[in-house]
Amino acid sequence: MARVSAYQGFGVSFVVAGCALAVATYLLLGLVPLVALWIGLAVVGASMALTPSRLEVSRELLGLVDSSLTNMAVALEFFRVGSYNLYASYGGEVYVFVSKKPISSVPAEKPDFFVRVEGDNVVIALKSPVSGLVSGGGGDFCGLVEEVAVDRLGLAEWVRCVERGGEALVEFRGGRASSPYRLTSTVGSIYGIVAGSVMAVLRGSATVVSDVEEGGLRRVVVRGGAGGEGASG
């Protein structure tokens, strides 16, 4: 069984510290820019924790995945953002924009913010934890989802996928990681994040339309193109 690397351990530490500092800074000082800095630290930590060092995924690493996603959910709850998501790829780097209201178009450039207030809308930009695991180019969506979820991360036993008309239905069987409801209903579970990130790399942008679990089967519907619709869990 593979061990968790020190790199991944530091990632978890960053997640915990970033979330704690963000809450404390907001409650005690009310400095939103500094809060954004701590949230950024937490997001970086989540990416570190989810970066596999070996193909064989250990039970400890899955625990890190769960912990990182839980802390991401806490951050979303803290800023009270709604259930709208939009994945966008910038040269293979995938960001997911979560907002209180739908985002009508993909930002032209890679975001330089973590939290932005646009009128009465709050937008949070999170770098996808699986960003960088998906190779660009005109690959096959279903094949790439299986490669990332099964072969590279070991998050499922197998994947069944159908893509039609810019929308894809992906079923993951034998899932080994869970996601808190708050996260599932916004950006999607870890399986929704994988599907959304792959679709964004191939199509430029994507939305996780729905993400539900039924009898041990995780079923995700993802759509290519902008739209900012919310995931349902």
Side-chain angles (χ1 to χ4, degrees):
M1 179 177 292
R3 292 181 176 272
V4 178
S5 67
Y7 177 81
Q8 293 161 334
F10 280 125
V12 174
S13 299
F14 288 159
V15 171
V16 175
C19 290
L21 288 170
V23 173
T25 299
Y26 184 80
L27 294 178
L28 299 178
L29 302 177
L31 299 177
V32 175
L34 191 55
V35 171
L37 175 63
W38 300 133
I39 293 297
L41 177 65
V43 173
V44 170
S47 297
M48 292 173 62
L50 288 169
T51 301
S53 56
R54 305 184 185 182
L55 290 179
E56 183 183 0
V57 179
S58 68
R59 187 177 306 171
E60 291 89 344
L61 179 54
L62 290 175
L64 294 183
V65 171
D66 290 344
S67 298
S68 299
L69 293 177
T70 298
N71 282 290
M72 288 174 64
V74 170
L76 295 178
E77 181 68 35
F78 178 73
F79 285 99
R80 299 175 182 175
V81 294
S83 56
Y84 296 95
N85 68 78
L86 175 60
Y87 288 76
S89 176
Y90 301 90
E93 283 190 286
V94 180
Y95 284 79
V96 55
F97 300 89
V98 193
S99 61
K100 295 179 66 175
K101 295 184 176 181
I103 302 175
S104 58
S105 60
V106 178
E109 299 180 354
K110 183 168 65 176
D112 57 359
F113 66 92
F114 295 103
V115 182
R116 173 175 289 176
V117 178
E118 302 175 350
D120 58 350
N121 192 23
V122 177
V123 180
I124 293 182
L126 301 169
K127 187 173 183 179
S128 167
V130 299
S131 182
L133 292 181
V134 186
S135 57
D140 172 63
F141 169 78
C142 292
L144 284 176
V145 168
E146 182 175 17
E147 176 186 335
V148 174
V150 178
D151 299 334
R152 305 197 66 175
L153 292 176
L155 294 172
E157 294 177 1
W158 53 259
V159 170
R160 179 177 297 159
C161 173
V162 177
E163 183 183 10
R164 184 181 298 112
E167 190 168 281
L169 168 64
V170 189
E171 295 180 338
F172 300 87
R173 172 68 72 178
R176 299 177 60 196
S178 60
S179 299
Y181 174 76
R182 178 61 180 172
L183 192 69
T184 300
S185 63
T186 52
V187 303
S189 65
I190 184 60
Y191 303 97
I193 292 173
V194 168
S197 299
V198 172
M199 182 68 82
V201 169
L202 296 180
R203 308 289 181 255
S205 63
T207 57
V208 176
V209 178
S210 67
D211 188 333
V212 296
E213 186 174 11
E214 299 177 355
L217 183 72
R218 174 66 67 171
R219 184 174 289 110
V220 176
V221 176
V222 60
R223 179 181 302 152
E229 298 184 12
S232 61

